[in-house]
Amino acid sequence: MKNLLCLALCACASTTPSAQPTPLKATAEEAKQFVAKANLELKRLYAEGSTADWIKDTYITDDTERNSAGANDRLLAYQSEASGIATRFKDLPLDAETARMLYLLRLAGPVIADPQKRLEMTTLAARLEGHYGAAKDSKGRDLEALEKILDKSRSYDELLDAWLSWHATAREQRPRYLRFVELQNEGARGAGFANMGDMWRAGYDMPPEEFEKETDRLWQQVKPLYDDLHCYVRAQLQKQYGKDKVPDGKPIPAHLLGNMWAQEWTNIYPLVEPYKGVADLDVDGALAAQKWDPLRIVKAGEAFYLSLGLDPLPKTFWERSMLVKPRDRDVVCHASAWDVTYDDDVRVKMCIPTPAREEDLDTIHHELGHDYYFHAYYKLPALFQNGANDGFHEAVGDTLILSMTPGYLKQLGLVPALPDDTHAVINVQMKRALSKVAFLPFAKLIDQWRWDVFSGKTAPADYQKTWWALREKYQGVVAPAVRSDEDFDAAAKYHVAGNVPYVRYFLADILQFQFYRAMCQAAGHKGPLHACSFYGSKEAGARMWKMLSLGASRPWPDALEAMTGQRQMDGGALLEYFQPLRAWLAQANQGMKCGF
């Protein structure tokens, strides 16, 4: 540490005892030496922190939370000093690689010089996430048990009880989060940003205000399709629960959409199926009948990547991953992918049940997308070991999910051969839209809420009110019961409790369709976009690998161009994919009172 500081700051013009030290002007060569040493130190600290986090997430105790907080405090301490040094070089004429490393270093994390405050922040972060992972309701039910009710039940009151029970577990997170926001903002100011929301948005190779406008532009592109889907789904839910509970022209109660957060609606497909009995899409039933276990699910995911010409997962993946929920301890079941040592130590952390479910099949394809991205860039310097932007990282695996057509699922023996007719196509598209299209506004609003929280636009007293105002505005969903200011429903979502930026998932929902279209073109697909599966295409795999191997070494438009030939994110590919459903919804919604 002292060597780095001296390199950047301590060169003196005179050696006479009476002379005042005068810093020499920083040079480009010093900048190159600085980032070279920083990459080595960061790789060591990243691995130390990631190891501690892995242990904490797979064995939640006070001790493991404290260990994780300490490791992350050491990382933040280094980043705080290194980020300050990096600012000395930012106006120099530098080569592109050094300049980008310095830019990324400034975005690496909050800068807090006070070690007590820094440790307080990392301790709060560990406690917020740990509480989420270990939380149980008053009846001793954890999130996994309550989610099963939301997934399957059709009883209004049973759904309401499960929804209220989980959201009640977040109330005690409120005071922790208030202090955490204060410390995050202090750290952002230390890095030269107005607040943490600005710091997050600065990570997209454009000014924060321009990035927010970009997300607004993309949302306006796809919003008409979401509005049509919402109108149709609400009408079908009225048939199940009655117009007194799901009224015309109003938001949908959040607990009726088959998911604890109403973020995706796949589980209510049986209630909204356009053509009953056309196209057997009961993948859950097939997985159960064939007794698919966690290992088989993961092997199926790996097989898709292998078909594209990518490498097998390393032996250590199978030895070190957590694929099932342990019986003897609390863990964070929220699925995640890791390279624990930043050296091809790829793993997955999931709680896959037996029999596995369709959502587990989707999730493993998604998480392995992260692992193959890690694998593609693990030989790059530590500062480049990331996606072009975080939306890219989330989009890779989901691109493969789009390619899981009925034909692909038939290869796995999970659906019968489907008739190639309009009714079957609409059913398949409806099921996918309940996942992909329904998710778009939720993915946008979470960080919209946090940007306003970090900036102070939303005061602590208004956290709850603003959360539900945004959910009504964007999603058209409403809390199913009266909520008070003592509730803290935002923290009932993992990514808020875990302080994980979320707009990446919104971008991923746009980008994956751009990636998919490009890979279908590389595979030589002819015909409508939705019918494409690039499974088995080495050409499509090569196109993807070209982007993955860049890591974060280039601005994201360069990586996007490497994959798609385009330099702007665009919702047009998503709309092209869902063109058959768009036309069908326009007819199905005639005469309905749409909007919310």
Side-chain angles (χ1 to χ4, degrees):
M1 193 67 254
K2 290 181 180 178
N3 289 338
L4 284 174
L5 288 170
C6 189
L7 171 66
L9 303 176
C10 297
C12 297
S14 172
T15 59
T16 60
S18 59
Q20 292 295 320
T22 303
L24 291 175
K25 184 178 180 181
T27 68
E29 181 58 31
E30 287 174 344
K32 290 189 72 169
Q33 293 179 39
F34 168 66
V35 295
K37 291 186 176 182
N39 274 301
L40 293 176
E41 187 65 6
L42 281 169
K43 184 167 183 175
R44 182 184 70 80
L45 291 167
Y46 286 163
E48 181 182 301
S50 185
T51 300
D53 286 343
W54 175 268
I55 295 169
K56 171 182 64 71
D57 281 8
T58 58
Y59 205 114
I60 300 172
T61 69
D62 290 343
D63 290 338
T64 60
E65 287 181 5
R66 188 165 53 251
N67 187 50
S68 171
N72 283 290
D73 177 65
R74 290 187 289 277
L75 172 60
L76 283 175
Y78 177 79
Q79 288 174 330
S80 294
E81 295 186 40
S83 179
I85 298 170
T87 61
R88 276 184 50 81
F89 303 114
K90 64 184 179 68
D91 296 324
L92 291 175
L94 302 169
D95 64 275
E97 183 174 278
T98 301
R100 183 153 182 83
M101 286 183 181
L102 290 169
Y103 164 75
L104 294 171
L105 187 55
R106 289 185 60 232
L107 297 171
V111 176
I112 297 180
D114 184 337
Q116 289 186 322
K117 285 186 177 179
R118 203 168 53 237
L119 182 58
E120 182 187 5
M121 183 176 68
T122 56
T123 300
L124 279 171
R127 187 70 195 113
L128 282 159
E129 186 180 29
H131 174 90
Y132 182 97
K136 295 179 175 61
D137 73 354
S138 60
K139 299 177 183 177
R141 297 175 294 182
D142 62 9
L143 176 58
E144 186 178 18
L146 293 167
E147 277 191 296
K148 288 179 180 177
I149 298 171
L150 267 292
D151 289 353
K152 301 297 183 185
S153 177
R154 298 292 181 252
S155 163
Y156 188 95
D157 291 338
E158 188 177 23
L159 291 168
L160 179 60
D161 173 69
W163 190 95
L164 290 172
S165 294
W166 176 249
H167 284 75
T169 67
R171 286 177 189 150
E172 66 182 83
Q173 296 274 64
R174 183 183 176 86
R176 297 182 191 121
Y177 193 76
L178 294 181
R179 177 59 177 157
F180 186 70
V181 167
E182 293 174 354
L183 292 167
Q184 285 275 291
N185 277 340
E186 183 174 335
R189 290 191 295 271
F193 299 93
N195 57 70
M196 185 52 72
D198 275 9
M199 188 170 179
W200 282 1
R201 286 175 289 181
Y204 294 95
D205 297 300
M206 61 178 69
E209 62 277 6
E210 288 187 23
F211 177 68
E212 188 167 348
K213 290 178 182 176
E214 179 71 354
T215 62
D216 289 340
R217 178 186 69 81
L218 292 168
W219 168 238
Q220 289 304 318
Q221 273 191 286
V222 297
K223 182 177 182 294
L225 175 56
Y226 177 81
D227 289 345
D228 286 346
L229 180 67
H230 182 282
C231 186
Y232 171 77
V233 166
R234 181 175 56 200
Q236 305 313 304
L237 291 175
Q238 287 174 339
K239 297 176 183 178
Q240 177 71 24
Y241 299 106
K243 286 194 176 185
D244 58 322
K245 292 184 170 63
V246 189
D248 282 330
K250 299 291 184 182
I252 300 169
H255 66 310
L256 300 182
L257 288 159
N259 175 270
M260 185 63 77
W261 308 277
Q263 69 182 59
E264 59 90 18
W265 307 344
T266 310
N267 287 318
I268 63 165
Y269 174 77
L271 299 181
V272 304
E273 185 179 24
Y275 298 104
K276 301 298 181 183
V278 176
D280 180 5
L281 300 178
D282 184 15
V283 176
D284 280 351
L287 291 168
Q290 298 174 32
K291 298 181 173 60
W292 278 56
D293 62 15
L295 184 61
R296 188 175 177 186
I297 282 282
V298 181
K299 285 289 188 182
E302 181 193 32
F304 199 133
Y305 289 88
L306 293 177
S307 83
L308 301 178
L310 276 62
D311 298 332
L313 292 165
K315 182 172 179 283
T316 52
F317 172 90
W318 305 102
E319 297 168 344
R320 299 171 182 173
S321 291
M322 186 190 86
L323 302 180
V324 299
K325 184 177 182 179
R327 297 181 179 180
D328 61 342
R329 62 187 189 269
D330 290 323
V331 299
V332 176
C333 274
H334 182 84
S336 55
W338 305 61
D339 181 352
V340 173
T341 63
Y342 286 70
D343 197 22
D344 212 26
D345 183 12
V346 294
R347 310 181 193 181
V348 162
K349 175 182 63 61
M350 288 179 66
C351 296
I352 307 174
T354 300
R357 305 156 301 182
E358 181 178 12
E359 66 181 87
D360 301 310
L361 187 64
D362 287 352
T363 298
I364 197 60
H365 282 76
H366 172 88
E367 299 302 341
L368 290 182
H370 290 299
D371 278 348
Y372 275 99
Y373 215 154
F374 298 147
H375 176 66
Y377 61 56
Y378 81 92
K379 293 181 181 179
L380 295 179
L383 283 164
F384 289 161
Q385 287 195 37
N386 214 328
N389 68 43
D390 52 10
F392 278 64
H393 232 302
E394 299 299 335
V396 172
D398 283 355
T399 302
L400 268 68
I401 295 174
L402 292 177
S403 193
M404 292 166 60
T405 59
Y408 169 75
L409 294 174
K410 182 179 182 296
Q411 283 183 262
L412 296 182
L414 296 174
V415 300
L418 298 182
D420 186 19
D421 62 24
T422 302
H423 290 186
V425 168
I426 296 304
N427 276 8
V428 171
Q429 288 230 309
M430 175 61 72
K431 190 169 188 181
R432 181 143 284 166
L434 294 174
S435 171
K436 300 296 183 181
V437 178
F439 181 61
L440 286 161
F442 182 81
K444 175 167 168 50
L445 73 87
I446 286 188
D447 277 357
Q448 188 67 59
W449 179 81
R450 283 192 289 195
W451 295 339
D452 291 346
V453 164
F454 285 130
S455 72
K457 181 179 177 181
T458 296
D462 296 327
Y463 279 6
Q464 184 75 354
K465 179 178 69 175
T466 305
W467 172 255
W468 282 107
L470 287 171
R471 296 202 64 182
E472 290 189 36
K473 173 185 176 180
Y474 284 102
Q475 280 187 285
V477 304
V478 65
V482 175
R483 312 303 288 152
S484 75
D485 291 339
E486 294 179 2
D487 292 309
F488 189 30
D489 293 336
K493 176 62 181 169
Y494 168 77
H495 297 75
V496 174
N499 198 42
V500 179
Y502 209 80
V503 74
R504 62 181 63 179
Y505 301 104
F506 173 75
L507 299 180
D509 236 25
I510 301 293
L511 286 167
Q512 64 192 255
F513 287 90
Q514 281 184 273
F515 294 172
Y516 171 73
R517 182 169 60 185
M519 292 179 74
C520 288
Q521 291 168 351
H525 173 73
K526 305 296 182 184
L529 183 59
H530 69 268
C532 165
S533 177
F534 50 73
Y535 178 85
S537 171
K538 303 298 190 294
E539 294 79 10
R543 179 78 66 91
M544 184 171 72
W545 188 259
K546 184 179 179 182
M547 179 191 74
L548 299 183
S549 59
L550 290 174
S553 66
R554 305 279 289 276
W556 66 260
D558 292 351
L560 182 63
E561 187 173 29
M563 170 69 111
T564 69
Q566 299 173 277
R567 295 187 62 83
Q568 185 180 49
M569 293 181 284
D570 178 31
L574 181 150
L575 297 177
E576 179 184 347
Y577 178 91
F578 284 110
Q579 181 55 45
L581 182 65
R582 292 173 68 193
W584 184 87
L585 286 170
Q587 293 293 321
N589 288 339
Q590 286 188 1
M592 292 185 185
K593 184 178 181 180
C594 295
F596 44 80

